[in-house]
Amino acid sequence: MGIAVGSLTNWFSNVKADFEIIFERDPAAKHWLEIVFCYPGFHALVLYRLAHWLYSCGIAFIPRLLSHIGRFLTGIEIHPGATIGRGIFIDHGMGVVIGETAIIGDYCLIYQNATLGGTGKESGKRHPTLGANVVVGAGAKVLGNITIGDRVRVGAGSIVLQDVPEDCTVVGIPGRIVSSRTGRGCPLEHAKLPDAEGRAIRSLVERLEQLEQQIQKLQNNKR
């Protein structure tokens, strides 16, 4: 009885943290009724936390059924076996997939169409582990049994296949570390990411212009 009461208290505590973080991170949230009725990410997390509790009790079918219902209602698929911390915000949410052995730290921010998935049919731990305050941009894929450190930002559309140390920004396909920083920063500034490809292209263009100028000088000297 004591274990059940403790689990129920923990469930309410986590749901409360998920609810409160929305006001902190979404300027569009004006009223608590909006969150209760109009935020699919919050709905998916509420159902997940109930399903995860049942899953932890060794119940097989009902947790998966709740997960399926949550997917049908919200477009967000969270396996009941995943381990998710408190204060999680799934923004917009449509298309988000979180695998069975994924671990998500506290106060992470996940945007629509992001995937925390596996890379094959291996058993055991096969999904990523995210630290605290990680931001996963829209359409990003974090795949395999890898570790993403605290306060990492994964750029929109990136595919991350290797471990990333804390306080880094990762962009591209495959994901590459393009900057590291200290301090927490603002998790909502996920769009303000370095343009590694753009810098490389500009560097090549500048080098090409320099070579063209040198060739032109050599041709003029021959005349």
Side-chain angles (χ1 to χ4, degrees), residues 92-147:
H92 302 294
M94 180 62 70
V96 167
V97 177
I98 300 174
E100 178 186 14
T101 62
I103 299 174
I104 301 176
D106 296 340
Y107 303 107
C108 287
L109 174 59
I110 301 173
Y111 284 89
Q112 67 272 17
N113 205 34
T115 298
L116 306 181
T119 56
K121 294 184 178 294
E122 67 272 15
S123 59
K125 183 73 168 73
R126 59 192 183 278
H127 298 99
T129 297
L130 272 57
N133 293 291
V134 172
V135 178
V136 182
K141 317 298 178 188
V142 185
L143 305 176
N145 182 19
I146 60 176
T147 299

Side-chain angles (χ1 to χ4, degrees), residues 20-163:
E20 292 173 343
I21 199 67
I22 295 175
F23 282 110
E24 178 181 330
R25 292 190 168 177
D26 188 0
K30 307 299 183 185
H31 195 277
W32 66 270
L33 284 174
E34 294 180 2
I35 297 174
V36 171
F37 290 102
C38 304
Y39 275 70
F42 178 68
H43 303 155
L45 285 168
V46 170
L47 284 172
Y48 153 76
R49 296 196 184 282
L50 176 58
H52 180 70
W53 176 69
L54 295 172
Y55 186 89
S56 300
C57 293
I59 300 173
F61 173 70
I62 296 177
R64 292 302 302 270
L65 179 61
L66 287 174
S67 176
H68 186 71
I69 292 172
R71 178 186 179 188
F72 176 78
L73 294 175
T74 67
I76 299 168
E77 181 178 342
I78 307 176
H79 193 285
T83 302
I84 300 179
R86 57 189 283 111
I88 306 301
F89 182 24
I90 301 177
D91 198 6
H92 302 294
M94 180 62 70
V96 167
V97 177
I98 300 174
E100 178 186 14
T101 62
I103 299 174
I104 301 176
D106 296 340
Y107 303 107
C108 287
L109 174 59
I110 301 173
Y111 284 89
Q112 67 272 17
N113 205 34
T115 298
L116 306 181
T119 56
K121 294 184 178 294
E122 67 272 15
S123 59
K125 183 73 168 73
R126 59 192 183 278
H127 298 99
T129 297
L130 272 57
N133 293 291
V134 172
V135 178
V136 182
K141 317 298 178 188
V142 185
L143 305 176
N145 182 19
I146 60 176
T147 299
I148 308 300
D150 295 345
R151 298 173 298 278
V152 166
R153 293 190 296 173
V154 179
S158 301
I159 298 180
V160 183
L161 302 172
Q162 297 180 344
D163 293 348

